[in-house]
Coordinates of all heavy atoms in Angstrom, one line a residue:
L197 N -29.2 126.4 44.3 CA -30.2 125.4 44.2 C -30.9 125.1 45.5 O -32.1 124.8 45.5 CB -29.6 124.1 43.5 CG -29.3 124.2 41.9 CD1 -28.6 122.9 41.6 CD2 -30.6 124.4 41.2
Q198 N -30.0 125.0 46.5 CA -30.7 124.8 47.8 C -31.6 125.9 48.3 O -32.7 125.6 49.0 CB -29.6 124.5 48.9 CG -30.1 123.9 50.3 CD -30.9 122.7 50.1 OE1 -30.4 121.7 49.7 NE2 -32.1 122.7 50.6
M199 N -31.2 127.1 48.0 CA -32.1 128.2 48.4 C -33.3 128.2 47.5 O -34.6 128.4 48.0 CB -31.4 129.5 48.3 CG -30.5 129.7 49.4 SD -29.6 131.5 49.3 CE -28.4 131.2 48.0
I200 N -33.3 127.9 46.2 CA -34.4 127.8 45.5 C -35.3 126.6 45.9 O -36.6 126.9 46.0 CB -34.0 127.5 43.9 CG1 -33.4 128.8 43.3 CG2 -35.3 127.1 43.1 CD1 -32.7 128.6 42.0
S201 N -34.8 125.5 46.4 CA -35.5 124.3 46.7 C -36.3 124.8 48.0 O -37.5 124.5 48.2 CB -34.6 123.2 47.0 OG -35.4 122.2 47.6
S202 N -35.7 125.4 49.1 CA -36.3 125.8 50.2 C -37.4 126.8 50.0 O -38.6 126.7 50.5 CB -35.3 126.5 51.2 OG -34.3 125.5 51.6
L203 N -37.2 127.8 49.1 CA -38.3 128.7 48.8 C -39.5 128.1 48.1 O -40.7 128.5 48.4 CB -37.7 129.9 47.9 CG -36.7 130.8 48.6 CD1 -36.1 131.8 47.6 CD2 -37.4 131.7 49.7
L204 N -39.2 127.2 47.2 CA -40.4 126.6 46.4 C -41.1 125.7 47.3 O -42.3 125.6 47.3 CB -39.8 126.0 45.2 CG -39.2 126.8 44.1 CD1 -38.7 125.8 42.9 CD2 -40.4 127.6 43.5
K205 N -40.4 124.9 48.1 CA -41.1 124.0 48.9 C -41.9 124.6 49.9 O -43.0 124.1 50.3 CB -40.0 122.9 49.5 CG -39.5 122.0 48.8 CD -38.8 120.7 49.4 CE -37.6 121.3 50.1 NZ -36.7 120.1 50.7
M206 N -41.4 125.8 50.6 CA -42.2 126.4 51.6 C -43.4 127.1 50.9 O -44.5 127.2 51.6 CB -41.4 127.4 52.4 CG -40.4 126.8 53.3 SD -41.2 125.6 54.5 CE -42.5 126.8 55.3
T207 N -43.3 127.6 49.7 CA -44.4 128.2 49.1 C -45.5 127.2 48.8 O -46.7 127.4 49.0 CB -43.9 128.8 47.7 OG1 -42.9 129.8 48.0 CG2 -45.0 129.5 47.0
I208 N -45.0 126.0 48.3 CA -46.1 124.9 48.0 C -46.6 124.4 49.4 O -48.0 124.2 49.4 CB -45.4 123.8 47.3 CG1 -44.9 124.2 46.0 CG2 -46.4 122.6 47.1 CD1 -43.9 123.3 45.2
F209 N -45.9 124.4 50.3 CA -46.4 123.9 51.6 C -47.4 124.8 52.2 O -48.6 124.4 52.7 CB -45.2 123.8 52.7 CG -45.6 123.3 54.0 CD1 -46.0 122.1 54.4 CD2 -45.9 124.5 55.1 CE1 -46.4 121.8 55.7 CE2 -46.2 124.1 56.3 CZ -46.7 122.9 56.6
L210 N -47.2 126.2 52.1 CA -48.2 127.0 52.6 C -49.6 127.1 51.7 O -50.7 127.1 52.2 CB -47.8 128.5 52.6 CG -46.6 128.9 53.6 CD1 -46.1 130.2 53.4 CD2 -47.3 128.8 55.0
A211 N -49.3 126.8 50.4 CA -50.5 126.7 49.5 C -51.4 125.4 49.8 O -52.6 125.5 49.7 CB -50.0 126.8 48.1
K212 N -50.6 124.3 50.3 CA -51.3 123.1 50.6 C -51.5 122.8 52.0 O -51.9 121.7 52.4 CB -50.5 122.0 50.0 CG -50.3 122.0 48.4 CD -51.4 121.5 47.6 CE -51.2 121.4 46.2 NZ -52.2 120.9 45.4
S213 N -51.3 123.9 52.9 CA -51.3 123.6 54.3 C -52.7 123.1 54.8 O -52.8 122.1 55.6 CB -51.0 124.9 55.1 OG -51.8 125.9 54.6
G214 N -53.8 123.6 54.2 CA -55.1 123.1 54.7 C -55.3 121.6 54.4 O -55.6 120.8 55.3
D215 N -54.7 121.1 53.1 CA -54.9 119.6 52.8 C -53.9 118.8 53.8 O -54.3 117.7 54.2 CB -54.6 119.4 51.3 CG -55.7 120.1 50.5 OD1 -56.7 120.2 50.9 OD2 -55.3 120.4 49.3
L216 N -52.7 119.4 54.1 CA -51.9 118.6 54.8 C -52.3 118.5 56.3 O -52.1 117.5 56.9 CB -50.4 119.3 54.8 CG -49.7 119.2 53.4 CD1 -48.5 120.2 53.4 CD2 -49.5 117.9 53.0
I217 N -52.9 119.6 56.9 CA -53.4 119.5 58.3 C -54.5 118.5 58.3 O -54.6 117.5 59.3 CB -53.9 120.9 58.7 CG1 -52.7 121.9 58.8 CG2 -54.6 120.8 60.0 CD1 -51.8 121.5 59.8
A218 N -55.4 118.5 57.3 CA -56.5 117.4 57.2 C -55.9 116.1 57.3 O -56.3 115.1 57.8 CB -57.4 117.7 56.1
L219 N -54.8 115.9 56.4 CA -54.2 114.6 56.3 C -53.6 114.0 57.6 O -53.5 112.9 58.0 CB -53.2 114.6 55.2 CG -53.5 114.5 53.7 CD1 -52.4 114.5 52.8 CD2 -54.1 113.0 53.5
I220 N -53.0 115.0 58.4 CA -52.4 114.8 59.7 C -53.6 114.2 60.6 O -53.4 113.1 61.2 CB -51.8 116.0 60.3 CG1 -50.4 116.3 59.5 CG2 -51.4 115.6 61.7 CD1 -49.8 117.5 60.1
H221 N -54.6 114.8 60.5 CA -55.7 114.3 61.3 C -56.2 113.0 60.9 O -56.5 112.0 61.7 CB -57.0 115.3 61.2 CG -58.2 114.9 61.9 ND1 -58.2 114.6 63.2 CD2 -59.4 114.6 61.4 CE1 -59.5 114.2 63.5 NE2 -60.2 114.2 62.4
Q222 N -56.4 112.7 59.6 CA -56.8 111.4 59.1 C -55.9 110.3 59.3 O -56.2 109.1 59.5 CB -57.2 111.5 57.6 CG -58.3 112.4 57.4 CD -58.7 112.6 55.9 OE1 -58.3 111.8 55.2 NE2 -59.5 113.6 55.7
L223 N -54.6 110.5 59.2 CA -53.6 109.5 59.2 C -53.3 109.0 60.7 O -52.9 107.9 60.8 CB -52.3 110.0 58.6 CG -51.8 109.4 57.3 CD1 -50.5 109.9 56.9 CD2 -51.8 108.0 57.2
Q224 N -53.5 110.0 61.5 CA -53.2 109.6 63.1 C -54.0 108.7 63.7 O -55.2 109.0 64.0 CB -52.9 110.9 63.8 CG -52.6 110.5 65.2 CD -51.1 110.2 65.3 OE1 -50.3 110.7 64.5 NE2 -50.8 109.5 66.4

């Protein structure tokens, strides 16, 4: 389960990376 969680979270993170980078810029 921990390996599944890591794989899924990183896959979603890469797919949403553009939005997350923009959020970092706006939140700071």
Side-chain angles (χ1 to χ4, degrees):
L197 285 174
Q198 187 57 57
M199 286 187 283
I200 291 173
S201 175
S202 297
L203 290 170
L204 288 178
K205 286 196 294 188
M206 286 307 302
T207 301
I208 298 170
F209 175 82
L210 288 177
K212 300 280 189 178
S213 58
D215 295 335
L216 293 174
I217 293 297
L219 278 174
I220 292 176
H221 172 61
Q222 294 179 11
L223 253 184
Q224 182 70 29

